[in-house]
Amino acid sequence: MLELGGSKAPEADLIKEGSDATFMQDVVEASKTTPVIVDFWAPWCGPCKTLGPALEAAVTKARGAVKMVKIDVDQNQVYAGQLQVQSIPTVYAFYKGQPVDGFQGAVPPSQIEAFVAKLAKMAGGSVDGGLSEAVEVAEQMIEDGQAQDAADTFVAILQEDGANVAAYAGLIRAHLALGDIDRAEAILNAAPKEFDSAAELDAARAQVTLARQSQNAGPIAELKAAVDADPSNLQARFDYAVALHAAGQTEDAVNELLEIFRKDKEWNDGAAKTQLFQIFDALKPNDPIVLNGRRKLSSMIFA
């Protein structure tokens, strides 16, 4: 079993209420080993009520890669003055005892996450406690034929972070690699609602659909003979493409589907185009088969 990142640090150690009296210890000294975000706020500040919780969520999610200190400027004005805090909310980031970054005003969650990730990377860490690296290792296990080890690793990652959609999709792929389509489909159908729009789950969904088709694929030689005997038989060509994909001949399958689309874009309610998108979704976006296939399809659509 792959060893994952260290245990999650208690939130109390990650996020503190600071003061002028504790600034040197909580911020300057602490930042010598771990980046510390300082949130200067006040109870009457409207934007602070949005920014503060968003910062806390991002810091908590970072699993100890960064820390946070909240300072009420109404009660603590010494360091706010030294750092020339002129409006709130103002956020500073300290690392190795010095301010290294910051911003003013409320910002969107995506910017906050990027801010935290930048600080974590600065210190040689990551915002997920090494889980992204664990996902990559598990993906390689699938490539290396170690599907059961990959499945076990994905489960361990999800036990650490149940919202890790990459690990969830990876678990589905691992079961497909094990030949257990029913289990893969069950995991897919049980996916949390928040995963619905994730590209990783779209890819897993396409892979499950293609795996189901592969179960019913006909013999390649017979289907090819049918196509050779009657090139205009688009159903035979479609079945041939499905069989090619089932046999791992993905590029050849894409070419046959493109030929169907070239001959009749609307055949069988656009089945060739739909099948092409299933294959493209199941592959990595930068796969040459995807790039070339999409380019050829687009040229036909806009011809």
Side-chain angles (χ1 to χ4, degrees):
M1 178 68 65
L2 177 71
E3 290 294 332
L4 302 179
S7 59
K8 184 175 179 180
E11 187 172 337
D13 292 338
L14 298 179
I15 302 169
K16 293 183 176 181
E17 294 285 351
S19 67
D20 287 337
T22 63
F23 192 92
M24 286 299 297
Q25 177 183 343
D26 291 345
V27 177
V28 177
E29 291 298 323
S31 73
K32 289 181 179 178
T33 55
T34 304
V36 177
I37 294 172
V38 184
D39 176 22
F40 290 100
W41 69 288
W44 47 264
C45 167
C48 296
K49 296 176 182 178
T50 300
L51 180 65
L55 276 170
E56 291 183 33
V59 170
T60 300
K61 186 178 178 181
R63 306 170 62 83
V66 298
K67 295 182 178 181
M68 177 177 171
V69 174
K70 302 183 291 182
I71 295 183
D72 180 348
V73 296
D74 283 352
Q75 305 296 324
N76 305 277
Q77 299 180 1
V78 174
Y79 288 98
Q82 289 184 11
L83 291 167
Q84 299 181 337
V85 175
Q86 297 178 347
S87 65
I88 53 174
T90 289
V91 173
Y92 274 99
F94 279 71
Y95 184 50
K96 294 189 181 300
Q98 299 292 329
V100 293
D101 204 350
F103 61 85
Q104 286 186 340
V107 299
S110 60
Q111 189 171 332
I112 292 172
E113 291 179 5
F115 181 75
V116 172
K118 179 182 176 183
L119 292 174
K121 187 175 181 180
M122 185 183 300
S126 66
V127 295
D128 62 2
L131 294 185
S132 59
E133 290 86 349
V135 169
E136 292 177 6
V137 170
E139 294 284 3
Q140 188 59 48
M141 288 177 181
I142 295 178
E143 295 292 327
D144 294 342
Q146 302 169 7
Q148 186 58 61
D149 289 341
D152 293 341
T153 301
F154 285 129
V155 168
I157 293 169
L158 289 166
Q159 288 173 344
E160 291 276 323
D161 178 11
N164 194 312
V165 66
Y168 199 91
L171 182 60
I172 295 170
R173 282 194 301 279
H175 282 286
L176 288 176
L178 288 167
D180 192 347
I181 301 176
D182 290 342
R183 179 60 177 157
E185 190 168 40
I187 296 170
L188 174 65
N189 292 337
K193 188 73 174 176
E194 59 267 27
F195 288 177
D196 282 354
S197 60
E200 296 94 338
L201 202 67
D202 286 342
R205 187 177 292 111
Q207 290 157 2
V208 169
T209 298
L210 292 170
R212 283 290 183 207
Q213 289 180 341
S214 296
Q215 288 182 308
N216 301 314
I220 289 180
E222 291 182 17
L223 292 169
K224 184 178 187 304
V227 172
D228 290 342
D230 182 6
S232 65
N233 186 338
L234 301 187
Q235 183 61 59
R237 192 177 293 274
F238 185 88
D239 293 341
Y240 179 44
V242 171
L244 286 169
H245 186 271
Q249 300 177 43
T250 304
E251 187 171 9
D252 291 337
V254 167
N255 288 335
E256 293 298 332
L257 292 166
L258 287 169
E259 180 63 13
I260 295 172
F261 190 79
R262 187 187 67 79
K263 288 177 177 292
D264 186 351
K265 294 179 174 62
E266 302 303 324
W267 174 78
N268 197 16
D269 295 327
K273 182 180 177 181
T274 299
Q275 186 74 2
L276 282 166
F277 284 146
Q278 289 277 16
I279 293 174
F280 295 158
D281 286 346
L283 297 171
K284 294 180 180 179
N286 61 348
D287 190 301
I289 295 175
V290 175
L291 298 176
N292 293 332
R294 286 191 183 278
R295 177 178 53 79
K296 291 177 181 178
L297 181 61
S298 295
S299 68
M300 292 181 192
I301 291 174
F302 298 108

